[in-house]
Amino acid sequence: MGTVKITRDDFSIDKVCREIQTPGTGGIVTFLGVVRGEEGERRTTSMKVESYVEMAERELGSLREKAIDQYGLEDMSIIHRVGTLSAGENIVMISAAGPHREECFDAARFIIDEIKRAVPIWKKEISSEGERWVEGEH
Amino acid sequence: MRVRLRFFASFRDQMGSPERWVDLEEGTNLRDLTSSMGQHHPFLVSGLVAINGRYLDAGTIIRDGDEVAFFPPVSGG
């Protein structure tokens, strides 16, 4: 059974994928977001991630239900981490299980785009140049 | 009526606190509150606002005990 979670803990990609696999599943698409360590000349050592947890979990739950319905998925899990994460560590995982690949790719894309648009989570980058809040795209 | 205000990320840094309690007149809506807060903290007007963890219309009337959150554009993912 799929889940939605804001957590400090890391996750097992394999375990999450297995949890959403059903007899009707023909494919699972996973988007994995990680802390980027380099961007041009800037070296990021870590990322502080914070969230308005109660609201973010509710928003993610609604998005999960919408995606399952809209794309005809078998199941879906969305996990976003908070806390201080080092370069290379996992930040977010979105896994979509469906009968065929198209709906899984589309659903995973829909969710990551919505996370970046409206789910109350923020990142503060700690780099060689100091600390800065990452600006939202919208 | 008493309302809890919460601030997140850069807004919390700029406010110097994660929360504040305020007394509002009955009938105050979200637009009124945002406008009032914006007089002393103009950056708040450029952000997002939620009541009890939900995005609601600016005309929504605020109730006693509500939690109103102010935060900058999100940057998760």
Side-chain angles (χ1 to χ4, degrees), chain A residues 16-138:
Chain A
V16 174
C17 287
R18 293 300 164 212
E19 283 171 353
I20 60 170
Q21 186 174 345
T22 64
T25 297
I28 299 173
V29 166
T30 294
F31 172 82
L32 179 66
V34 301
V35 178
R36 185 167 40 244
E38 295 182 4
E39 189 162 16
E41 294 297 306
R42 196 165 60 237
R43 302 280 179 272
T44 300
T45 54
S46 61
M47 195 78 84
K48 288 182 184 172
V49 185
E50 74 165 72
S51 174
Y52 181 5
V53 176
E54 312 94 287
M55 180 174 177
E57 287 192 331
R58 184 189 298 130
E59 290 284 315
L60 290 176
S62 298
L63 289 171
R64 174 178 173 273
E65 287 175 18
K66 186 175 179 184
I68 289 172
D69 182 54
Q70 188 171 314
Y71 296 98
L73 299 180
E74 289 288 311
D75 205 350
M76 167 172 260
S77 278
I78 309 168
I79 302 173
H80 203 299
R81 295 180 68 195
V82 291
T84 301
L85 307 175
S86 300
E89 276 199 77
N90 297 331
I91 298 180
V92 60
M93 174 177 179
I94 300 161
S95 280
H100 308 287
R101 65 188 181 284
E102 290 88 354
E103 56 267 28
C104 300
F105 279 110
D106 290 347
R109 176 66 184 253
F110 165 72
I111 295 294
I112 190 63
D113 286 350
E114 284 297 303
I115 287 174
K116 289 182 176 291
R117 190 184 70 81
V119 179
I121 300 171
W122 304 270
K123 293 184 294 205
K124 185 186 242 184
E125 184 185 87
I126 317 297
S127 75
S128 48
E129 296 174 8
E131 296 188 3
R132 71 172 186 106
W133 286 104
V134 176
E135 288 186 19
E137 295 178 4
H138 296 273

Side-chain angles (χ1 to χ4, degrees), chain B residues 3-58:
Chain B
V3 172
R4 182 190 187 196
L5 308 184
R6 295 183 70 184
F7 310 102
F8 291 90
S10 59
F11 283 10
R12 180 195 56 243
D13 292 350
Q14 291 178 85
M15 293 300 292
S17 171
E19 68 170 32
R20 169 186 299 185
W21 288 84
V22 293
D23 291 308
L24 300 179
E25 290 182 14
E26 296 290 336
T28 301
N29 66 25
L30 196 53
R31 185 184 297 107
D32 299 330
L33 175 61
T34 305
S35 172
S36 166
M37 291 295 292
Q39 289 178 10
H40 294 289
H41 311 285
F43 58 89
L44 292 177
V45 178
S46 66
L48 302 170
V49 189
I51 300 179
N52 300 326
R54 295 177 195 277
Y55 293 115
L56 296 173
D57 184 83

